[in-house]
Amino acid sequence: MFFSRKPAALPTRETALPGRSRPIPTASTHFVSGRPLEAEAPAGYETAIFGLGCFWGAERLFWQTRGVWLTRVGYAGGITPNPTYDEVCSGGTGHTEIVEVIFNPAEVTFADLVKLFLESHDPTQGMRQGNDVGTQYRSAIYFAGAAQEATARQMIAAYNAELAAAGHRASVTTELAPRADVFLAEDYHQQYLAKNPNGYCGIGGTGVLCPLPPVQAN
C-alpha cells in the first residue's frame, strides 16, 4: 500500500515481535454483503486463503467473483500472535497480507480461484508486488487439505510453463503451506475499496493466462 522499503527477510521466533493474547478489534459485518464478518462456512462450502500483495485491491477481486459467499482480510503465515497492521508492515511478525475466501464449490471451484489469484498479480517477485516492498507483500496460498494443495501445485507448475513460453524470465515464488492461524485485520481494512472507491489498488498481473487443470471424470 505504501511505497517504502521494508525488510526482505522473515524474522525468526527469537526476533519476531511478541504480539498479544487477544485479537485486535475488527468489523462485525461485511461492508458489501452485510454478512457477519467472522461467520463460519456454511455446510458444503469451502475456505481458501490467498496472499497477492496489498489486500485492499486483492479482496475486491474475490468479493466480485460469482460463488464467493464471504471475504475478509487479515494476516497469515507469520509468527506474532494477533498482530496489528503497523507491526506486520514493520517486517517483524512474518505475516503476509491475505484474503480469506469462503466459496460455494458448486458455483466456483478452488481451481477457478487459483487461476484468478495467479493472473491478478505477479507471483514471481518474492517479497514484493511492484513498488510495494516487504515480507507482507509476498505471494502465498495457505491450503486446506490435500486436494487444495495438489491443485495449487499443479496449477503453479502449469503457470511456470506458460510464463517461460511467454518469455518471462522469473519463476513463481508463491509460498505454499498448510492453513494455519489467520488474524483478521482492523476494521478500516475490511472491504476497503468498497468504503473508499478511489483508494489505492496495487493489483496487476503479468498478462500471462493460467490454464485450468483438466476436469476429472467421475
Side-chain angles (χ1 to χ4, degrees):
M1 281 171 222
F2 302 107
F3 305 115
S4 59
R5 185 160 296 278
K6 305 289 175 55
L10 293 169
T12 65
R13 293 199 173 275
E14 291 70 34
T15 62
L17 295 172
R20 55 202 48 79
S21 60
R22 294 185 179 181
I24 58 174
T26 190
S28 58
T29 58
H30 192 282
F31 187 80
V32 177
S33 71
R35 295 187 175 104
L37 191 73
E38 298 186 62
E40 298 291 330
Y45 284 46
E46 298 179 18
T47 301
I49 299 171
F50 300 105
L52 55 157
C54 171
F55 50 21
W56 288 353
E59 186 182 15
R60 181 169 61 182
L61 292 171
F62 293 103
W63 86 57
Q64 292 178 337
T65 298
R66 181 177 179 272
V68 170
W69 186 77
L70 188 70
T71 59
R72 50 203 176 205
V73 298
Y75 316 114
I79 298 168
T80 301
N82 300 302
T84 67
Y85 174 69
D86 288 343
E87 289 171 342
V88 171
C89 287
S90 76
T93 74
H95 295 90
T96 191
E97 296 184 16
I98 60 90
V99 184
E100 186 171 25
V101 181
I102 299 176
F103 63 99
N104 181 354
E107 295 185 79
V108 61
T109 67
F110 179 69
D112 292 328
L113 296 178
V114 173
K115 176 179 172 67
L116 176 65
F117 161 82
L118 288 170
E119 292 177 357
S120 298
H121 75 305
D122 183 345
T124 70
Q125 296 185 89
M127 301 294 184
R128 68 181 301 153
Q129 276 300 300
N131 290 323
D132 292 337
V133 179
T135 55
Q136 78 271 28
Y137 298 118
R138 71 187 185 274
S139 177
I141 299 175
Y142 299 111
F143 51 81
Q148 283 193 4
E149 178 184 10
T151 296
R153 292 191 184 281
Q154 179 182 3
M155 292 184 69
I156 286 172
Y159 197 54
N160 267 325
E162 295 295 319
L163 288 170
H168 200 86
R169 295 183 179 181
S171 297
V172 172
T173 60
T174 299
E175 177 184 348
L176 281 177
R179 177 193 171 101
D181 290 332
V182 171
F183 301 103
L184 294 185
E186 294 85 342
D187 186 342
Y188 75 98
H189 293 299
Q190 305 295 337
Q191 301 81 62
Y192 181 86
L193 290 183
K195 300 170 184 173
N196 303 275
N198 296 318
Y200 170 72
C201 176
I203 293 300
T206 63
V208 177
L209 300 182
C210 179
L212 286 167
V215 177
Q216 300 295 319
N218 292 327

